[in-house]
Amino acid sequence: KEHDEAALEMALKTMTLLKNDGTLPLNKKKIKSIAVVGPNANTIDALRANYFGDASNPVTILAGIQKAAGEKIKVSYDEGCPIVEYEGSKRHDLVESKHLNTIDAQGNYVPGLKGEYFRGKELSGEPVFTQVNPQIRMYWGEGSPTETMVAQGILTPEQALEKDNFSVRWTGTITAPQSGTFEFGAMSDDGCRIYLDGKLIVDDWTEHEMIPSVAEVNFVGGKNYDLKIEYYEAEGNAGVWLVWKKLEEKVEVKGPFEPSAEMLANVKKADVAIFVGGLDANWEGEEMRGREGIDGFRGGDRTKIELPAVQLKTLRAMQATGTPVIFVLIAGSAISFDGLENELPAIVMAWYPGQRGGDAVAQVLFGDYNPAGRLPVTFYHSTDDLSEFTNYNMQAGKGFTYRYFTGEPLYAFGHGLSYTTFEYSDLSIDKTSLKSNDEFTVNVKVKNTGKRDGEEVVQLYVRDVEASLPMANKQLRSFDRVALAAGEEKVLTFKLNPKEDFRYYNAMMREYQVEPGDFEIQLGASSSDIRIIGKVTVE
């Protein structure tokens, strides 16, 4: 419970409101219907980044909105479009535990499958341990399935499985939610075999990276099928996910993508639409494969910062219905919107918000939480604002990051809005003529001038007014996140030292130095929203 509550608190504190024309927060008393659309709305992939643990009860964005909306607000859902449109693009869903059944050690029927874990690749001998896995969504990376069990004292180090050269057998039953033809199988790294009612339907007993191995299966809805999954790990990364997709629901691109008429009709009928898009950790991460030849991506890197075209197209079609569209953006990096930011009434940057991400997003949308997250990166208008993808020179072209970028950012480093307003005043600096090792104090008064309680992130930047060498535009040197009730004011204090806070690295001398002269002390709500400025001089 404590971990779950901490996950919610972390997710709430990271929610970053990029734009709001007053549409947010949503008024539950006035709204009767919401259309939720988007590839990241109903998947746990949108909750977690490139490295993750398995949450016990993850809350998707759709689930969070449905729970917060309650029974009086109708919530419709449509995936809308894939994250990225490419030849043969499709997505399989994880098989949820409610569709799996097995018998536990006490002889009771429970959701999930019984897993038997063996040394070696051939599932031979007695299992090292047996446990029920509610869902087959395992990713151990270069680790071992028993690492946590050793840490908890359930197994001794001598009983543990090695990081490589192990195998697992899962058994139980599977029940399809409806009749039809499904693509059914597994994503695995390495080998995997699947038996359905004793028949081998997937046979991929080879060493390979995480790839899908599926078969077409005609399921009868509600019928129990005996299921056996066999898996082995040779070396390197390890993982296996049990997946399926009803064929007529599969997103498969055979030509230019067009948003469905049914989805747009639901959007048009709704009082407000929420599009949940962006990226997920299948599209941005470390040392990823299978993205070759796809525009905008190379491995786990992004060669373009624009939102994928298929999502832009879907968003514009939704906008054309006349229903206000709120964009909940899921990603771990800067995204640009091809000018769509001028049309959308509100944009919430939710990052990869973790297991309680759906609840956190919903609390922000409905005003139960006043967002105060801030951008730790600069958002640019387009890829054209940046130098070549492989150029790591921070000052090349228009420059990278708020420290060297000379253009106009889409959303500046440190940007983030609130449902209330704040006023800065009464800046005071106790010492304005300094030696390089003098400590000095900066005070500023901040007042919540709005009608809601909220938090302001007061940011302090230092700028060398007239540098003799190429220097950063400004540098963040301190910040304070302060909670203020409506009408409340507080004086914030920052302590600075030129030797630490005004220094730059002299590459010729190979040392940090402080250049004498005038410096600005800038305080504001972002790197480009400076509210009040003071000056000091270093002798």
Side-chain angles (χ1 to χ4, degrees):
K1 185 174 184 298
E2 291 86 352
H3 294 176
D4 199 49
E5 290 172 351
L8 176 60
E9 181 183 3
M10 288 189 288
L12 287 168
K13 286 185 177 293
T14 64
M15 293 293 118
T16 307
L17 185 59
L18 298 183
K19 180 184 178 180
N20 185 28
D21 69 354
T23 301
L24 293 179
L26 300 175
N27 189 329
K28 290 183 182 180
K29 295 180 180 179
K30 295 182 178 180
I31 291 175
K32 296 181 180 179
S33 60
I34 299 173
V36 178
V37 178
N40 280 339
N42 194 34
T43 170
I44 62 173
D45 286 347
L47 304 180
R48 56 199 189 187
N50 193 204
Y51 292 90
F52 56 84
D54 285 328
S56 58
N57 187 29
V59 181
T60 65
I61 310 301
L62 175 63
I65 292 171
Q66 289 172 326
K67 182 166 62 173
E71 296 180 357
K72 294 183 178 181
I73 300 176
K74 180 183 177 182
V75 178
S76 67
Y77 163 69
D78 194 297
E79 187 177 15
C81 64
I83 288 179
V84 177
E85 182 181 15
Y86 63 99
E87 183 66 27
S89 65
K90 59 188 177 180
R91 190 177 77 198
H92 294 88
D93 297 322
L94 286 161
V95 178
E96 299 179 51
S97 60
K98 64 183 179 182
H99 302 301
L100 304 172
N101 207 276
T102 193
I103 300 175
D104 65 11
Q106 288 74 42
N108 301 313
Y109 283 95
V110 293
L113 297 177
K114 182 175 75 172
E116 298 171 289
Y117 292 73
F118 300 85
R119 287 191 175 86
K121 297 185 290 185
E122 297 305 324
L123 303 132
S124 58
E126 290 295 316
V128 172
F129 71 97
T130 300
Q131 66 177 183
V132 173
N133 297 122
Q135 193 175 35
I136 310 306
R137 189 183 72 241
M138 314 299 181
Y139 188 75
W140 299 290
E142 294 186 352
S144 161
T146 55
E147 284 182 357
T148 302
M149 302 176 77
V150 171
Q152 295 175 342
I154 299 172
L155 295 177
T156 66
E158 292 74 25
Q159 294 172 314
L161 293 174
E162 298 294 331
K163 294 182 179 181
D164 296 318
N165 196 36
F166 63 84
S167 53
V168 190
R169 179 190 295 119
W170 288 280
T171 53
T173 62
I174 184 169
T175 308
Q178 56 186 294
S179 298
T181 303
F182 286 70
E183 275 192 349
F184 173 60
M187 295 278 294
S188 67
D189 178 349
D190 293 300
C192 181
R193 292 191 292 238
I194 299 178
Y195 298 82
L196 197 66
D197 276 350
K199 180 182 177 182
L200 179 64
I201 62 167
V202 169
D203 188 5
D204 189 10
W205 207 245
T206 59
E207 296 177 20
H208 51 70
E209 295 180 343
M210 198 80 164
I211 60 171
S213 301
V214 297
E216 289 191 10
V217 176
N218 292 313
F219 281 113
V220 176
K223 178 182 176 181
N224 293 331
Y225 295 84
D226 289 333
L227 176 64
K228 179 170 69 173
I229 305 165
E230 296 179 338
Y231 166 79
Y232 82 85
E233 156 63 1
E235 60 180 1
N237 290 326
V240 56
W241 295 3
L242 186 65
V243 297
W244 58 8
K245 191 74 177 178
K246 200 162 184 278
L247 281 182
E248 50 265 43
E249 295 176 354
K250 185 172 57 177
V251 180
E252 187 161 356
V253 179
K254 298 184 182 301
F257 174 86
E258 293 296 334
S260 75
E262 181 182 1
M263 180 272 287
L264 293 175
N266 285 336
V267 170
K268 189 174 180 64
K269 288 186 294 185
D271 294 323
V272 66
I274 300 169
F275 182 83
V276 189
L279 301 172
D280 66 21
N282 296 309
W283 287 100
E284 56 177 354
E286 185 181 9
E287 295 185 1
M288 298 170 66
R289 302 290 184 269
R291 300 289 177 260
E292 294 75 13
I294 299 174
D295 186 44
F297 298 90
R298 190 177 78 184
D301 293 328
R302 296 171 56 215
T303 57
K304 291 183 177 180
I305 64 171
E306 283 75 20
L307 185 71
V310 67
Q311 295 186 53
L312 289 169
K313 188 173 189 177
T314 303
L315 276 164
R316 288 197 164 98
M318 293 170 64
Q319 278 282 102
T321 66
T323 299
V325 180
I326 298 162
F327 186 11
V328 175
L329 176 61
I330 307 288
S333 53
I335 304 285
S336 68
F337 310 109
D338 192 35
L340 194 60
E341 69 278 357
N342 299 317
E343 305 169 35
L344 294 168
I347 304 174
V348 178
M349 180 64 174
W351 310 100
Y352 294 121
Q355 65 190 54
R356 294 293 300 278
D359 290 326
V361 167
Q363 286 191 33
V364 168
L365 294 177
F366 288 107
D368 299 317
Y369 183 82
N370 191 348
R374 298 294 185 266
L375 290 183
V377 294
T378 301
F379 275 40
Y380 307 90
H381 284 276
S382 77
T383 307
D384 293 338
D385 285 340
L386 301 172
S387 299
E388 288 299 317
F389 176 68
T390 54
N391 191 336
Y392 295 117
N393 184 345
M394 297 293 287
Q395 295 173 274
K398 294 181 182 179
F400 288 100
T401 80
Y402 80 96
R403 298 172 72 239
Y404 296 104
F405 185 57
T406 57
E408 185 71 26
L410 174 60
Y411 296 114
F413 174 88
H415 172 76
L417 303 177
S418 171
Y419 294 149
T420 187
T421 55
F422 299 92
E423 181 181 88
Y424 293 56
S425 65
D426 299 347
L427 174 66
S428 66
I429 302 174
D430 70 339
K431 189 184 296 185
T432 57
S433 182
L434 307 163
K435 292 182 171 56
S436 64
N437 59 352
D438 284 349
E439 185 176 86
F440 65 100
T441 301
V442 177
N443 292 311
V444 66
K445 183 184 291 184
V446 181
K447 182 177 181 178
N448 183 342
T449 54
K451 298 179 180 180
R452 285 175 173 263
D453 298 349
E455 292 179 300
E456 174 73 332
V457 181
V458 179
Q459 301 161 45
L460 187 153
Y461 296 87
V462 171
R463 185 177 83 89
D464 192 335
V465 175
E466 190 173 348
S468 61
L469 297 171
M471 200 75 68
N473 303 322
K474 62 180 68 177
Q475 300 190 74
L476 179 69
R477 282 296 174 250
S478 191
F479 67 90
D480 194 357
R481 182 168 178 150
V482 56
L484 296 169
E488 184 183 6
E489 61 183 25
K490 287 182 181 179
V491 175
L492 304 184
T493 299
F494 301 91
K495 292 188 179 295
L496 302 176
N497 184 312
K499 189 174 181 179
E500 294 294 326
D501 297 308
F502 291 9
R503 71 182 187 175
Y504 73 99
Y505 187 73
N506 187 319
M508 294 292 292
M509 301 298 293
R510 296 187 178 184
E511 63 181 15
Y512 285 101
Q513 295 181 347
V514 177
E515 185 175 62
D518 294 336
F519 290 81
E520 285 185 351
I521 308 300
Q522 304 180 350
L523 290 124
S526 81
S527 59
S528 65
D529 183 10
I530 301 302
R531 306 290 182 85
I532 197 164
I533 298 175
K535 287 189 177 180
V536 298
T537 301
V538 177
E539 299 173 0

